Amino acid sequence: MKNINNDMKDNKAKGRKVIGCFPLYPPLELFHSLGLVPVTLWGLKDSIPTTGKSDRHLQPYACSVARHLTEFLLSENGAALDGLFMYNACDTLRNLPEIINCGLADTGRSLPIFKIHLPMAPREQTESRAYLRARIKMLINELEEAYQVTFSIEKFRQSVSLYREMRKLCKALETLVANGRMSYNEFSRIIRDGWFVPAEDQLLALQKILQDRPLSKREHVPSAVQSRIVVSGILPPPLHMIQAFENAGLTFVGNDIASQNRALFYTPAMVDDPADYYVDFYNHHYPCTTLLYTADRRVAAIRELILSTRAQGVVFIGEKFCEFEYFEIPHLEKILKDMGVPTLFLEVSIDDNDYSEAYVTRIETFAELIGSANQGGRYAE
Amino acid sequence: MPNEDKLKAGHKKTEAGKRLSKMMINDYMRLHQKAGEGAFVVWIAIVVPAELFSGFENVVYGVPESHAAMSAGKGVGPLQCEKAERLGYSMDLCSYARIDLGTAFDGGKDSPTFGLPKPHLLISDNNNCSLLVKWFDVYHRTWDVPHFILDIPFCYEQQTARDLNYISSQYRDLIRTIETLSGQKFNIDRVREALEHTKGALTNWKRFLKTAASRPAGLTVFDSFVQMAPFLTSRGTKALAEHYRLLADETEENVAKGIFPVPNEKYRLLWDNIAPWHQLNKMSSRLAALNANLIAASYTYCMGSLEGEFDLYPYDGGDPLTYLARIQNFSICPHGLELRYQAMQRAIETLGIDGVIFASNRSCKVYSLMQMDMLKRVTERLGIPSVMIDVDHADIRKYSEESVFTRIEALLEVIDAKRGAQTPR
């Protein structure tokens, strides 16, 4: 596993201005076009194994995403950041900026924090485009002032192209995984490593991987691999858990993971105004439990994902204390049951590494269930 | 008089307390009755401006959070929670939500009010707590009932004009939605009238809370917790304004007569978080026995105030939607740490608070996840001893009375020690 702390130090050593972005879906292209290196602070657990500093500011019932994020920012590694960006992704994250400021103040540090409110009302109910446009324009002004840079539409276009290509290649890797040519473990690691390096570096890394393992045209249709599953959640399962799935003969043919497919799914067409671009980006974003206005599209998206990948089972990875996810799971489980698709729910908490063996039996049983269904053909769409 | 007798005298049920019970029964009976007669029923989050519904001829509203609090207070919280848990809803979810889901999906069985009549429209908002949007989405999906989401920006600083305009435009969308769904016409003058009642109610609410400034205090925070209930179910009514007038009158009269809920009050405490609904009687009795009085709570002093403030922000007779938008963030949860601290500092200084109890509430992360830094700030900047206890506002299974009181007693010792250090030898 690549150490993100080294990436952060490398960015700093090269004189790059790095803006840390709270998960989930920040305006990466915008930051990039202004000469900043945006890093999305997902999945810090592997690099920040303890939460001692965070525990002085957050109760243990905050999710591990928030606790590791806070720990990272308060640690020495967080000093490599030149700013932070966040929006109202959830109740926990919206409370964090001031908590982080308190923690930084204790260590004599401070960071500029840029905040926007992302409208969460359904678009057919409330006209919020003008509001979002104004917030994006204000953000651009704030960034220009803070970093003494000037927004350029040309550079923005280049950044959009770069991220579009990067997302496209990430999707190509997903296809490799679905066809059994790449493990989901490797895929998750590659995607995760990409969050902490400049987009150009990530693009080069992706291109190299795909040169070594090129996709053929026929790979874009679902392959005939058996025991096909889709995984859903905020973060992918921990690597040792993925290993347990793959050891049990299950193939991840698709994902509804916030840090993967939900984040990578959509890049808008280029327009002449970055505010319009982000109105489109957020309006048409892949449905996510945290984007409250996408709720009505979520069931359809999951159904489509299952049908298009011919998945035979769905695994929900519950990030402990993530209410947004937990409110939806019972409903989704019921719908999937009605579709004849078996589900498995596994909860991941901050100390799950200590209890990984407990999951193995459940994963193996789930694999057997799907395997027996294959033989009987019960779960054909 | 022996201490026990004094306590009994102080805790005698007040006239306002008796009236409150009748008022709540009437509110729920009227809700069921009107729904049965064909009224348009909405379910709302507690901070949705209910005065808007006065603008319609026949729109009634239920408040699931308030119903859940009442259920917890009446001791059926765990029973309803377990029903939701059996349906797959995690025990880590908010206990209000679990109580409500358990009640609703069991047809109101075991509820002190027979649940709430089924809604024609759900109205949530994401400033007080955004998970409530997900909670209402469960009904939206299960029952195919429309769900209107008020999208309200969080306040790291006081509300901006841009946000105010955005909020009031959503009220207009909401009004149009109700008009379309209910077939009723909206009349803004009725809302204006309702806001005058709200102004009267909140003026008297603040007068009631001000009796905490007397020594001993004229109230306990437990009185204010229970007396909040009709603000949620009767907002904008003449009956509420009258009830709060009588409540303030009676409390002020008691102070004048020397009748106090904790006559030997030695410790004046402030509570930060939602009320522990399942512990009101027990906690108030045990605190009173220690001569400790919780005299204020951020949960109750925010009603009628702007972000970061302590005093009333009254309706000025102007555009109702503008006023409602400006006061939309009156509860604590939409406020950032700086604003919460400002208001708490005012409360501490105005009421002569000796110590603060930060109730870390597993069921309300949005209220709780700033408390560790708030505690530090209150202790270091204001020199006020503080303690953090673990509670769940409605699920008694997540509460340990003994460990809570061990911490509270430690707080009282710190207050004593501080006083000892300040007393000249």
Side-chain angles (χ1 to χ4, degrees):
Chain A
M1 173 67 69
K2 197 174 171 193
N3 188 329
I4 61 160
N5 299 329
N6 293 338
D7 288 334
M8 299 303 293
K9 282 176 191 157
D10 188 46
N11 283 325
K12 197 72 182 169
K14 288 178 178 158
R16 295 165 177 151
K17 292 269 185 214
V18 182
I19 185 160
C21 302
F22 281 24
L24 308 150
Y25 311 119
L28 299 171
E29 304 90 332
L30 175 63
F31 298 130
H32 182 269
S33 73
L34 289 166
L36 303 168
V37 176
V39 294
T40 310
L41 302 170
W42 292 103
L44 298 164
K45 195 170 176 178
D46 296 308
S47 301
I48 312 289
T50 59
T51 54
K53 292 184 178 68
S54 163
D55 291 347
R56 285 181 224 145
H57 299 272
L58 288 176
Q59 289 95 326
Y61 50 82
C63 69
S64 74
V65 173
R67 291 171 72 187
H68 287 290
L69 170 66
T70 304
E71 185 72 18
F72 174 79
L73 294 169
L74 299 185
S75 71
E76 204 181 308
N77 300 303
L81 295 175
D82 297 284
L84 274 175
F85 169 81
M86 64 83 60
Y87 68 90
N88 47 311
C90 71
D91 287 342
T92 296
L93 292 184
R94 81 182 189 184
N95 276 9
L96 280 193
E98 288 171 303
I99 293 172
I100 287 162
N101 271 338
C102 289
L104 290 174
D106 289 346
T107 60
R109 285 162 51 204
S110 67
L111 261 183
I113 302 184
F114 304 91
K115 305 184 279 278
I116 68 164
H117 176 81
L118 179 61
M120 289 290 176
R123 306 311 187 232
E124 60 278 14
Q125 169 211 294
T126 296
E127 173 48 66
S128 56
R129 282 175 297 187
Y131 183 87
L132 178 57
R133 271 194 204 99
R135 296 307 298 245
I136 295 288
K137 286 184 174 162
M138 193 188 300
L139 174 65
I140 293 171
N141 291 340
E142 289 169 0
L143 292 165
E144 285 181 326
E145 194 176 324
Y147 299 108
Q148 294 297 298
V149 290
T150 305
F151 175 80
S152 145
I153 190 69
E154 275 314 308
K155 285 184 181 169
F156 183 68
R157 284 200 181 103
Q158 288 165 14
S159 300
V160 168
S161 297
L162 181 71
Y163 276 91
R164 177 180 288 113
E165 183 63 13
M166 190 263 290
R167 288 176 183 131
K168 191 178 116 191
L169 299 188
C170 289
K171 298 295 289 176
L173 294 195
E174 265 187 21
T175 308
L176 288 180
V177 176
N179 291 342
R181 292 180 57 205
M182 174 180 277
S183 74
Y184 185 60
N185 236 343
E186 186 182 1
F187 170 78
S188 295
R189 184 180 51 71
I190 292 165
I191 299 294
R192 177 250 190 217
D193 289 349
W195 293 115
F196 305 101
V197 296
E200 292 84 350
D201 294 0
Q202 188 188 9
L203 189 63
L204 283 175
L206 294 168
Q207 284 167 340
K208 182 164 186 326
I209 292 163
L210 283 160
Q211 269 170 12
D212 295 344
R213 279 175 271 189
L215 275 179
S216 63
K217 276 186 184 171
R218 62 188 168 80
E219 281 192 89
H220 290 287
V221 295
S223 76
V225 296
Q226 295 299 299
S227 300
R228 312 159 63 83
I229 56 168
V230 157
V231 62
S232 174
I234 292 292
L235 289 165
L239 299 182
H240 59 80
M241 196 186 278
I242 296 175
Q243 196 68 56
F245 278 105
E246 293 184 332
N247 287 347
L250 296 168
T251 304
F252 291 85
V253 292
N255 80 78
D256 168 50
I257 295 290
S259 66
Q260 297 178 348
N261 188 43
R262 293 186 208 169
L264 298 167
F265 189 81
Y266 183 65
T267 303
M270 189 55 221
V271 287
D272 288 333
D273 183 339
D276 287 338
Y277 177 86
Y278 284 110
V279 167
D280 186 349
F281 175 75
Y282 288 114
N283 276 358
H284 296 97
H285 200 280
Y286 193 81
C288 176
T289 51
T290 66
L291 297 173
L292 304 176
Y293 57 89
T294 64
D296 283 350
R297 291 194 277 122
R298 184 154 150 77
V299 170
I302 297 275
R303 200 190 292 266
E304 168 60 24
L305 180 62
I306 290 163
L307 294 178
S308 65
T309 58
R310 296 193 309 193
Q312 295 153 307
V314 174
V315 178
F316 291 101
I317 301 299
E319 178 67 42
K320 193 164 174 69
F321 303 122
C322 178
E323 286 117 335
F324 280 9
E325 288 281 308
Y326 277 51
F327 267 111
E328 296 213 342
I329 289 170
H331 182 72
L332 290 172
E333 284 178 329
K334 184 174 177 304
I335 283 175
L336 293 170
K337 189 178 171 192
D338 292 345
M339 286 172 69
V341 176
T343 61
L344 174 67
F345 172 75
L346 296 174
E347 185 169 79
V348 176
S349 66
I350 202 157
D351 53 0
D352 66 279
N353 286 339
D354 302 337
Y355 302 103
S356 56
E357 284 306 308
Y359 298 122
V360 173
T361 309
R362 295 184 62 202
I363 290 168
E364 287 172 349
T365 307
F366 187 63
E368 283 167 21
L369 177 69
I370 287 180
S372 63
N374 279 340
Q375 285 168 7
R378 275 168 54 203
Y379 300 118
E381 81 239 33
Chain B
M1 194 197 292
N3 200 29
E4 278 296 302
D5 293 342
K6 269 194 175 179
L7 286 178
K8 274 179 193 163
H11 274 114
K12 199 170 65 177
K13 191 157 189 175
T14 60
E15 287 306 310
K18 291 175 197 163
R19 241 187 354 263
L20 172 70
S21 303
K22 282 186 198 157
M23 197 167 175
M24 294 309 294
I25 291 167
N26 287 343
D27 278 349
Y28 278 99
M29 281 177 60
R30 190 170 55 248
L31 174 61
H32 279 292
Q33 188 187 339
K34 287 205 160 192
E37 290 167 359
F40 187 80
V41 180
V42 293
W43 284 9
I44 61 169
I46 52 167
V47 293
V48 170
E51 289 90 345
L52 287 178
F53 310 128
S54 312
F56 294 94
E57 190 70 46
N58 197 19
V59 173
V60 292
Y61 66 95
V63 190
E65 291 155 279
S66 181
H67 172 266
M70 181 186 275
S71 298
K74 299 285 182 192
V76 294
L79 177 67
Q80 305 289 30
C81 282
E82 283 166 11
K83 291 178 190 173
E85 288 155 18
R86 282 198 290 275
L87 293 172
Y89 293 97
S90 166
M91 203 176 173
D92 288 328
L93 291 173
C94 163
S95 48
Y96 278 174
R98 281 178 288 132
I99 289 173
D100 189 51
L101 293 166
T103 305
F105 289 137
D106 197 26
K109 199 176 155 202
D110 303 315
S111 155
T113 69
F114 308 104
L116 299 171
K118 267 201 178 175
H120 299 102
L121 174 67
L122 301 149
I123 309 170
S124 64
D125 68 80
N126 60 346
N127 66 331
N128 203 42
C129 102
S130 49
L131 79 83
L132 193 135
V133 179
K134 308 302 289 185
W135 160 8
F136 277 21
D137 263 343
V138 174
Y139 301 128
H140 167 57
R141 287 169 166 171
T142 309
W143 295 333
D144 197 21
V145 172
H147 181 187
F148 192 100
I149 303 170
L150 284 170
D151 175 49
I152 317 289
F154 187 73
C155 294
Y156 296 100
E157 57 278 319
Q158 284 216 326
Q159 189 185 65
T160 61
R162 182 193 55 237
D163 288 351
L164 185 144
N165 291 334
Y166 179 51
I167 295 165
S168 59
S169 77
Q170 292 180 65
Y171 293 159
R172 286 189 282 278
D173 292 336
L174 175 60
I175 290 164
R176 275 194 295 275
T177 300
I178 297 176
E179 282 185 329
T180 304
L181 292 173
S182 71
Q184 300 176 36
K185 287 303 286 179
F186 178 74
N187 180 345
I188 192 80
D189 290 331
R190 288 192 183 157
V191 179
R192 217 181 294 274
E193 194 182 326
L195 281 177
E196 290 296 342
H197 295 316
T198 294
K199 179 182 173 183
L202 289 172
T203 301
N204 286 305
W205 176 255
K206 293 287 189 187
R207 190 157 67 89
F208 162 64
L209 294 188
K210 223 178 197 174
T211 63
S214 82
R215 288 178 184 267
L219 53 72
T220 77
V221 81
F222 303 98
D223 303 320
S224 67
F225 286 153
V226 294
Q227 290 288 355
M228 281 176 79
F231 182 73
L232 306 178
T233 54
S234 291
R235 199 168 149 181
T237 64
K238 192 176 175 184
L240 179 69
E242 181 64 3
H243 175 68
Y244 281 168
R245 187 184 67 76
L246 293 168
L247 169 68
D249 285 351
E250 184 184 11
T251 313
E252 283 179 349
E253 278 166 26
N254 283 343
V255 170
K257 287 180 195 163
I259 299 171
F260 302 103
V262 183
N264 298 324
E265 180 185 279
K266 191 178 167 193
Y267 309 99
R268 297 162 65 82
L269 306 176
L270 188 148
W271 176 271
D272 183 63
N273 216 303
I274 299 173
W277 296 112
H278 45 81
Q279 290 300 305
L280 299 186
N281 286 334
K282 269 191 179 177
M283 190 178 274
S284 62
S285 302
R286 275 191 78 163
L287 285 170
L290 295 165
N291 294 323
N293 190 4
L294 271 165
I295 65 169
S298 53
Y299 188 50
T300 55
Y301 65 59
C302 61
M303 270 169 54
S305 299
L306 294 180
E307 315 88 11
E309 295 188 7
F310 184 67
D311 299 322
L312 178 67
Y313 179 75
Y315 175 53
D316 63 359
D319 173 40
L321 300 191
T322 302
Y323 172 76
L324 286 170
R326 185 64 198 89
I327 200 77
Q328 173 66 57
N329 296 312
F330 73 82
S331 61
I332 290 291
C333 294
H335 306 168
L337 194 146
E338 290 295 336
L339 293 169
R340 292 186 196 195
Y341 175 72
Q342 281 173 34
M344 188 175 284
Q345 182 178 9
R346 274 292 311 281
I348 287 170
E349 289 169 356
T350 306
L351 302 175
I353 297 293
D354 299 317
V356 180
I357 298 176
F358 287 93
S360 175
N361 181 353
R362 283 177 168 267
S363 272
C364 192
K365 293 179 184 64
V366 69
Y367 210 136
S368 305
L369 289 184
M370 284 179 190
Q371 287 180 313
M372 295 176 81
D373 286 294
M374 277 288 283
L375 185 151
K376 189 165 178 270
R377 192 175 280 210
V378 166
T379 309
E380 289 178 1
R381 291 194 191 174
L382 303 178
I384 300 295
S386 305
V387 71
M388 187 164 289
I389 59 171
D390 285 316
V391 301
D392 185 290
H393 54 236
D395 190 347
I396 195 172
R397 297 171 299 171
K398 295 185 185 175
Y399 176 78
S400 164
E401 184 179 340
E402 288 317 310
S403 61
V404 161
F405 270 86
T406 301
R407 283 177 176 248
I408 291 176
E409 285 167 16
L411 172 69
L412 303 184
E413 284 171 19
V414 174
I415 294 170
D416 281 338
K418 184 185 163 199
R419 284 174 178 160
Q422 286 171 347
T423 307
R425 285 167 191 262

